[in-house]
Amino acid sequence: MAVPSSSIAPPLKDELDIVIPTIRNLDFLEQWRPFFQPYHLIIVQDGDPSKTIKVPEGFDYELYNRNDINRILGPKASCISFKDSACRCFGYMVSKKKYIYTIDDDCFVAKDPSGKDINALQQHIKNLLTPSTPFFFNTLYDPYRDGADFVRGYPFSFREGVLTAVSHGLWLNIPDYDAPTQLVKPLERNTRYVDAVMSIPKGTLFPMCGMNLAFNRELIGPAMYFGLMGDGQPIGRYDDMWAGWCTKVICDHLGLGVKTGLPYIWHSKASNPFVNLKKEYKGIFWQEELIPFFQSVSLPKDCTTVQKCYIEISNQVKAKLGKVDDYFSKLADAMVTWIEAWDELNPPSAAVPVPKGASK
């Protein structure tokens, strides 16, 4: 006898937190209610802490504003950005769950080509619970999906795969473009639905977008620091990419996997390209130095935990990128502060070495 769908527990219901940074009422959750309501939400309120953020009834949530961040972290709160969505990483730090899904408040439920609503969270969970294959590319993409497998010529020694640390989702409608591209393509919309998930190969960096992102907090959480952005900083809109570059280098070193592709969400609102250009313009120049830096980062063998890897990257940031601009020396210090704060809220006993090449 079939079990009624209503009685089937949502996957990872007690093991996953949804983290949402916001400055506004969260009406967008109404559309996500069928998919998000069973889960616990961590809302990180940016901007004016005296403003009341309204959350639709029926959701289980905790909300932190800047006063809460200052109270919990004390002087170490300086590492959490203000007036920038980078503040979301505070939610990663205070969570006690194994998995995190983070989404922006201008993202809605997308539809697949058949017109069916996409349960983005469910697809992220599938991505995280199946192995990645970063050491050898499979031309059928994800070999663990129904109807796919490893192709002829794929080494059997690599077919076990490795643990997946990150699931990077995509977006329909408003593309995640930088300001110059927005300015020259103001009307462009992404209508291409590519039904694929793939492991990003070892040694390959990628521009991580934080608006539709899931990760295994126990495996890679301390690396998901979104940097110093926004108020008082010379740069913005590079928070998720900074976290992505650090995370990918560490995943490569520890033998963990990163996937990109499905699921899609519907990105509803284009941000102002002129405002974005003001935030991004230094980053557009700096990234020509940043990418070669991350491509050349080498982590010693004794870096066996994410924390050790991250501190080593911070040392290299200060030594090499500090010459590019003083901002990176300040950022390197904030990276150390972030790890110290993480370990205070998450006892170091949890920072066990990651088994290299292990699979789920």
Side-chain angles (χ1 to χ4, degrees):
M1 179 172 148
V3 179
S5 59
S6 60
S7 65
I8 299 174
L12 303 182
K13 176 181 177 294
D14 299 318
E15 298 181 73
L16 183 144
D17 279 334
I18 299 174
V19 175
I20 305 168
T22 193
I23 57 171
R24 58 182 62 87
N25 294 335
L26 294 181
D27 300 330
F28 91 113
L29 285 173
E30 286 294 354
Q31 195 180 105
W32 287 104
R33 187 180 290 276
F35 305 130
F36 287 1
Q37 191 163 356
Y39 296 88
H40 179 67
L41 312 181
I42 297 178
I43 300 163
V44 184
Q45 178 181 343
D46 197 16
D48 182 2
S50 67
K51 180 180 177 181
T52 299
I53 299 292
K54 294 181 180 179
V55 181
E57 290 186 9
F59 286 93
D60 172 37
Y61 71 93
E62 53 192 299
L63 186 150
Y64 298 92
N65 61 31
R66 192 69 202 187
N67 293 339
D68 299 314
I69 294 172
N70 292 338
R71 172 177 52 81
I72 292 168
L73 296 185
K76 292 184 175 65
S78 61
C79 72
I80 304 298
S81 298
F82 184 55
K83 295 185 179 178
D84 193 279
S85 65
C87 67
R88 79 177 77 217
C89 61
F90 177 78
Y92 311 159
M93 183 186 284
V94 296
S95 171
K96 300 303 176 188
K97 303 290 178 63
K98 183 175 181 178
Y99 300 97
I100 294 288
Y101 174 55
T102 186
I103 184 171
D104 285 3
D105 60 14
D106 62 348
C107 295
F108 294 87
V109 178
K111 294 184 183 295
D112 67 18
S114 72
K116 181 181 177 183
D117 284 350
I118 297 169
N119 185 343
L121 186 54
Q122 184 180 61
Q123 179 64 51
H124 275 298
I125 290 170
K126 287 180 181 178
N127 293 349
L128 289 170
L129 295 184
T130 52
S132 295
T133 53
F135 305 126
F136 201 90
F137 190 80
N138 190 52
T139 52
L140 274 182
Y141 307 122
D142 186 355
Y144 304 102
R145 289 188 71 187
D146 292 340
D149 210 320
F150 293 98
V151 297
R152 180 172 56 89
Y154 200 99
F156 283 87
S157 58
F158 287 150
R159 294 190 182 195
E160 191 175 337
V162 300
L163 289 167
T164 300
V166 180
S167 172
H168 178 253
L170 300 173
W171 0 262
L172 293 171
N173 195 36
I174 305 296
D176 187 29
Y177 285 162
D178 53 35
T181 309
Q182 281 184 295
L183 286 167
V184 298
K185 295 183 172 182
L187 301 179
E188 185 156 292
R189 299 294 181 264
N190 182 33
T191 59
R192 295 180 66 241
Y193 180 94
V194 180
D195 186 13
V197 178
M198 63 189 74
S199 296
I200 300 176
K202 181 179 180 180
T204 299
L205 297 174
F206 74 110
M208 189 174 82
C209 172
M211 75 171 84
N212 176 27
L213 178 73
F215 59 92
N216 184 322
R217 183 178 173 277
E218 290 183 1
L219 283 181
I220 201 64
M224 281 289 180
Y225 175 47
F226 276 42
L228 290 177
M229 303 282 154
D231 193 52
Q233 308 302 335
I235 186 174
R237 285 174 54 83
Y238 275 83
D239 51 333
D240 41 10
M241 287 183 285
W242 180 265
W245 297 328
C246 292
T247 293
K248 186 58 167 62
V249 167
I250 293 173
C251 283
D252 286 352
H253 175 74
L254 295 177
L256 300 171
V258 178
K259 293 180 180 178
T260 189
L262 301 179
Y264 284 88
I265 50 84
W266 182 267
H267 186 206
S268 66
K269 188 178 69 176
S271 49
N272 186 309
F274 296 100
V275 173
N276 290 347
L277 186 60
K278 187 176 179 181
K279 294 177 180 179
E280 290 175 2
Y281 79 95
K282 287 193 175 182
I284 291 170
F285 292 103
W286 286 347
Q287 71 185 19
E288 301 306 318
E289 304 271 358
L290 297 178
I291 301 307
F293 165 77
F294 280 105
Q295 288 174 328
S296 65
V297 166
S298 178
L299 299 175
K301 289 183 179 180
D302 63 353
C303 286
T304 55
T305 67
V306 175
Q307 283 92 330
K308 287 181 179 178
C309 291
Y310 203 73
I311 292 297
E312 174 59 28
I313 291 176
S314 76
N315 292 336
Q316 295 187 34
V317 167
K318 177 167 277 193
K320 297 179 181 178
L321 295 181
K323 300 173 184 176
V324 176
D325 192 273
D326 289 342
Y327 164 75
F328 291 102
S329 296
K330 184 179 178 183
L331 176 57
D333 291 338
M335 293 167 72
V336 174
T337 303
W338 160 264
I339 292 296
E340 291 172 351
W342 182 283
D343 284 346
E344 283 184 12
L345 296 183
N346 304 274
S349 58
V352 294
V354 176
K356 276 204 170 187
S359 65
K360 188 78 179 171

